[in-house]
Amino acid sequence: MSYIDRCQKLKLAFDGGEPEFDNMEFSEYQFHSLAHDILPGKTNYYCASHKLDLIENMLSKNEIGEIQDDVQIEDVIVEENQNFTYKILKPKGNDSVKKVTFIFHGFNEKTWDKYLPWGQAICEKTQSAVVFFPIAFHMQRAPKLWSDKKAMFELSKKRKAQFPNIIGSSLSNVAISMRLHSKPQRFIWSGLQSYYDIIQFIEECKSGKHELIDKDFSFDIFAYSIGGFLAEILKLTNPKNYFSETKLCLFCSGAVFNRLSPVSKFILDSEVNVALYSYLVEHFSSFLKKDDLLRHYIEEDHMEGKVFHTMLDYRVMRDFREALFKKSENQIYAIALKGDSVFPTYEIENTLKGASRDIDITVEELDFPYSYSHENPFPMNKQESQNIEESLNIVFSKVCDFFNQ
């Protein structure tokens, strides 16, 4: 079976047409995010950990990023982000799963299509169940309008007219670009919601509430692109020691936020990139002073906020960050691609191996004998199908060898 045929059959199985594929099968489950009330759109907030009432002082939006109300809806009321389904791929016949691998996807992703052969390879080579868990406001956690090609094409036209020198604006990224341009702190809050969602998922499994996953399960993480950012924060924070034995494999990922180059018609446009950098890096300390809610989660006794902060800017708490990576150096492995312009290899090494290169995390650079990009490392190219299949096998043999050690 060719690579393209296999991808199409996997998509059919994933979408419910034929849930069985070879010796594997997909199943679907419901999830309700208990952390959604941390999101922007309210005035009063409550931190249960510290029994503290808080107020978000930065409720005003940047009107420059505004165009359409259907995109600029308040985060806290987006139903799709609160209640959603997720899929699990497992070896056929396993009624109780004791080994799980999470797949964390990239920024501005709308479908799981490209991840399905990745998940298949991990499931087959490690015999673990693969959980396709979506990040907040991505995949099935976003309103369908944000993926409507006609509506987003019209919106992109308006955005290009508003910013004549804009680079990389497209129907694919206009919704997320507008929302983050209008309110850059969404990056923080959706990231924290995703962080808490993963912990909630783990705790529900450990308490025996999941019908498929055994309460004594173990798990690893395969993270791609910005999904690696979430995975690193979870691993370095290690809440309740849940991640002590977790292995983390990073693919085209691993660098801190301010060392990325995310301007692409598939990721973010140039205007929101500037706004994010200004907010999260250049002026973040000023915003922390003005926003009680943000300051509490970033600077006041929330380890996840402290780690989030150091992963935004290479210079911030570098010794702290590198000490945490050093603790987990034998449990982290990264594969970089020579042709990746979004997560360059040397920036991944700067973060994972440290400024003095004294952290023993393996960062392996690969290259493929066909045209590829960060966003599409294994493209649907009939002429290069054999090379693509071979390259995918090389990558995931390395990934699974690491998980199986």
Side-chain angles (χ1 to χ4, degrees), residues 37-79:
D37 60 355
I38 198 176
L39 296 169
K42 297 161 51 180
T43 302
N44 299 307
Y45 293 80
Y46 180 72
C47 174
S49 300
H50 298 96
K51 296 180 173 56
L52 190 64
D53 292 308
L54 297 157
I55 297 175
E56 184 192 34
N57 302 125
M58 293 298 294
L59 287 173
S60 61
K61 296 178 180 177
N62 173 8
E63 296 299 329
I64 292 177
E66 295 279 345
I67 294 179
Q68 183 172 317
D69 289 342
D70 288 341
V71 168
Q72 296 293 4
I73 56 179
E74 295 291 1
D75 299 32
V76 75
I77 65 171
V78 177
E79 174 64 22

Side-chain angles (χ1 to χ4, degrees), residues 79-97:
E79 174 64 22
E80 294 90 339
N81 183 55
Q82 296 179 33
N83 299 289
F84 55 92
T85 61
Y86 63 91
K87 297 285 182 73
I88 295 180
L89 176 65
K90 70 176 180 67
K92 190 175 179 181
N94 285 17
D95 295 328
S96 181
V97 169

Side-chain angles (χ1 to χ4, degrees), residues 5 10 22 37 55 106 137 157 162 205 209 215 235 243 319 322 374 402:
D5 287 342
L10 278 166
D22 288 348
D37 60 355
I55 297 175
F137 299 104
K157 281 173 56 177
Q162 187 180 19
C205 293
K209 293 180 180 178
K215 64 184 181 63
K235 179 63 179 173
F243 296 81
D319 291 343
E322 292 184 358
H374 169 84
F402 171 68

Side-chain angles (χ1 to χ4, degrees), residues 1 8 22 33 40 44 65 131 177 183 217 220 241 251-252 260 284 300 327-328 382 388 395:
M1 185 186 302
Q8 290 172 342
D22 288 348
S33 171
N44 299 307
V131 178
S177 294
K183 204 163 190 177
F217 79 111
D220 296 316
N241 294 318
F251 181 48
C252 301
L260 310 183
F284 195 53
E300 296 177 358
K327 282 183 181 179
S328 299
K382 286 186 178 180
I388 293 167
V395 168

Side-chain angles (χ1 to χ4, degrees), residues 212-243:
L212 177 65
I213 300 173
D214 187 274
K215 64 184 181 63
D216 295 320
F217 79 111
S218 62
F219 63 93
D220 296 316
I221 301 173
F222 176 84
Y224 161 78
S225 193
I226 204 68
F229 194 85
L230 171 61
E232 287 168 305
I233 295 171
L234 286 162
K235 179 63 179 173
L236 298 184
T237 306
N238 192 18
K240 300 183 182 179
N241 294 318
Y242 291 154
F243 296 81

